[in-house]
Amino acid sequence: MNAESDEQRSAAADDIDDIAEPGKPLGSRAPHFVKRSRPLHLSWQVGVFVVGLAVVVAGVIMLPLPGPGWLVIFGGMAIWATEFVWAQLVLRWTKRKVTEAAQRALDPRVRRRNITLTVIGLVIVTALVGVYVARYGIQMPWKVSR
């Protein structure tokens, strides 16, 4: 029974290694003395999950409010990734997608399009501000007397 479960675990690990980045092992990064004791390791995982959950919830709250919501959410995911394989895989997928998007943004055609759209937007905003100033004038919010 033990040999079969060991084989299943190693087969699952091989499948995960195919998805993972080479050179970086997946799994718990808990200290060795924590991993040796099953109850201590389980307590460690619960603690990591609770702390990561608190950080992710804080990030979700910051999305509509002022604050770096997405940055805090990814910070919570990084906390989870210290213990959980699924979070490590999510972070690796996210890093890969962000890298691909950055490469696409550096494409000369995409850059030209973005610059063109920005210039057109600035011309429209400048025209609208000019029309507003011509129609209503510039009204200072304070009184200046000389």
Side-chain angles (χ1 to χ4, degrees), residues 3-4 16 28 35 42 48-49 65 73 86 109 131:
E4 290 176 10
I16 290 174
S28 176
K35 287 189 217 179
L42 187 60
V48 167
F49 183 80
L65 300 174
I73 289 172
W86 61 268
R109 290 179 297 176
V131 168

Side-chain angles (χ1 to χ4, degrees), residues 108-126:
R109 290 179 297 176
V110 173
R111 287 182 57 195
R112 268 193 305 274
R113 183 196 67 202
N114 290 344
I115 290 171
T116 304
L117 290 174
T118 302
V119 168
I120 290 170
L122 287 173
V123 167
I124 290 171
V125 167
T126 304

Side-chain angles (χ1 to χ4, degrees), residues 15-31:
D15 292 343
I16 290 174
D17 288 340
D18 293 340
I19 298 170
E21 294 175 3
K24 288 190 175 181
L26 293 173
S28 176
R29 295 191 181 115

Side-chain angles (χ1 to χ4, degrees), residues 120-140:
I120 290 170
L122 287 173
V123 167
I124 290 171
V125 167
T126 304
L128 290 174
V129 167
V131 168
Y132 179 84
V133 168
R135 184 167 185 152
Y136 300 108
I138 297 177
Q139 190 70 243
M140 294 295 172

Side-chain angles (χ1 to χ4, degrees), residues 66-121:
W70 285 110
L71 186 65
V72 173
I73 289 172
F74 289 127
M77 288 296 296
I79 291 170
W80 279 339
T82 62
E83 254 334 281
F84 304 107
V85 173
W86 61 268
Q88 293 168 2
L89 295 175
V90 167
L91 278 179
R92 287 180 181 177
W93 178 84
T94 304
K95 286 178 188 176
R96 191 171 57 247
K97 292 297 178 185
V98 167
T99 303
E100 290 171 7
Q103 291 301 321
R104 281 194 309 268
L106 293 176
D107 180 27
R109 290 179 297 176
V110 173
R111 287 182 57 195
R112 268 193 305 274
R113 183 196 67 202
N114 290 344
I115 290 171
T116 304
L117 290 174
T118 302
V119 168
I120 290 170

